[in-house]
Amino acid sequence: MTILELIQKTTAFLESKGVDEPRLHAELLLAHILGVKRIQLYLQFERELNAKELEPLREMVRRRAEREPLQYILGKTEFFGLEFKTDARALIPRRETEHLIETALGFFPDKNVALNAIDLGTGTGILAITLAIHLPASRWTAVDASAEALALARENATRHGLGDRIRWAQGLWWDGVEATEKFDLLVSNPPYVKSADIQNLALELREHEPLAALGGGDDGLAAYRAILAEARDRANPGARLAMEIGFDQGPALRELLPTHGWKLDSYVKDLQGFERVVTATLA
């Protein structure tokens, strides 16, 4: 079977299973198996594939047909120009979260500024790791309730040479963080999906990614309340706060932030025009 024939056959199979962008996923899986870039497949459509090459692809296609996320199958994803290991221990990084990175970096024109920063609900570690790379004088604490997610985040930090610049704390939000420690920058991408909306998520999300990292309670705001309840006491004067929010949660955060001692700065919209990141300064 040639590369082109295999792509066509796999595309049709994935499409029949309801997979979005079946051609793209067929090509990415095959490129991964062959150890080439996707574009290189187009230069060798007539190449015949051998059994050794086909065998691992069959298992990957089966997993994708069962709606396991592509990033878990490949074991990696790209975020903000960096590669991160991904598996079922934590949520897959989303492109929307890059707005949070850009926003936080925008706080500091001098990228060599010394900061004590915290990432609440670190998951794969993308916020702490990416910001630590771009703010080389910053020190980080990364918190997550899941020991498995923290283990994955540590692996990603080691991959990027940051093992000594990030401290890890297991606990729910502020649990595990020294009560006397103060931070200059607080970032978080907390769970914000309303409990009733979990059932409407894509099959890849609700069946394969950790639901504890998605659900935000009845109104989707439980994590924000927990974070803000202690954030003021954990912040240095003039500290900055940046959090990702759900597409319809802007009005609620406008009320929550001032009641917890934070001055709302701005909202950053995503590419669809939804308010995606909220920023605030310690009042």
Side-chain angles (χ1 to χ4, degrees):
M1 185 180 298
T2 67
I3 284 178
L4 179 58
E5 290 170 338
L6 182 61
I7 289 173
Q8 292 172 335
K9 182 177 179 180
T10 303
T11 297
F13 176 67
L14 292 177
E15 186 174 21
S16 73
K17 297 297 183 179
V19 173
D20 289 337
E21 300 182 297
R23 170 89 181 213
L24 172 63
H25 288 198
E27 292 177 354
L28 289 171
L29 288 171
L30 181 55
H32 178 75
I33 290 296
L34 298 179
V36 301
K37 294 184 181 297
R38 178 181 163 223
I39 190 64
Q40 292 177 276
L41 297 176
Y42 287 77
L43 305 177
Q44 44 185 326
F45 271 162
E46 301 308 314
R47 174 187 157 188
E48 293 282 342
L49 296 165
N50 58 51
K52 185 177 180 180
E53 293 168 326
L54 289 172
E55 188 58 35
L57 181 65
R58 291 192 184 98
E59 172 62 12
M60 287 186 164
V61 170
R62 179 195 66 76
R63 291 168 64 186
R64 188 68 190 99
E66 292 178 355
R67 306 296 288 276
E68 183 175 349
L70 179 72
Q71 295 90 336
Y72 286 170
I73 299 170
L74 298 180
K76 62 183 180 181
T77 194
E78 184 178 295
F79 177 84
F80 212 75
L82 301 169
E83 186 175 282
F84 289 88
K85 180 177 181 179
T86 52
D87 59 38
R89 289 177 286 178
L91 285 181
I92 297 165
R94 260 68 179 185
R95 191 69 63 192
E96 292 88 348
T97 306
E98 293 189 353
H99 294 294
L100 180 51
I101 296 290
E102 292 168 346
T103 301
L105 289 176
F107 293 156
F108 309 106
D110 177 9
K111 297 300 182 281
N112 290 309
V113 62
L115 298 168
N116 191 29
I118 188 166
D119 173 14
L120 294 155
T122 194
T124 54
I126 56 168
L127 294 181
I129 292 169
T130 305
L131 288 169
I133 289 172
H134 288 274
L135 298 168
S138 60
R139 295 177 293 110
W140 284 84
T141 298
V143 184
D144 204 285
S146 166
E148 292 79 12
L150 281 176
L152 176 60
R154 285 192 187 96
E155 291 169 27
N156 277 318
T158 299
R159 172 180 293 197
H160 291 288
L162 294 170
D164 61 341
R165 287 183 51 208
I166 303 176
R167 294 174 301 169
W168 311 96
Q170 184 182 354
L172 187 59
W173 308 121
W174 296 104
D175 293 346
V177 182
E178 289 292 336
T180 57
E181 186 165 9
K182 306 285 187 177
F183 298 95
D184 306 298
L185 172 63
L186 300 81
V187 298
S188 183
N189 178 17
Y192 51 70
V193 180
K194 296 175 184 177
S195 298
D197 292 339
I198 295 287
Q199 62 185 348
N200 300 322
L201 296 174
L203 191 61
E204 284 84 350
L205 263 171
R206 70 175 189 268
E207 294 293 332
H208 295 280
E209 299 195 52
L211 291 180
L214 289 167
D218 290 344
D219 62 0
L221 299 170
Y224 300 101
R225 293 192 185 96
I227 291 170
L228 291 173
E230 298 188 45
R232 182 178 185 178
D233 294 334
R234 307 297 189 112
N236 281 321
R240 304 298 298 271
L241 170 71
M243 298 186 293
E244 183 169 327
I245 62 174
F247 73 95
D248 60 350
Q249 292 175 328
L253 267 298
R254 286 184 178 89
E255 295 183 11
L256 278 175
L257 285 164
T259 63
H260 289 88
W262 292 85
K263 176 181 176 294
L264 175 67
D265 290 333
S266 66
Y267 285 94
V268 178
K269 293 184 178 181
D270 61 21
L271 296 178
Q272 294 179 294
F274 295 119
E275 294 177 335
R276 185 59 60 185
V277 176
V278 62
T279 71
T281 303
L282 187 63

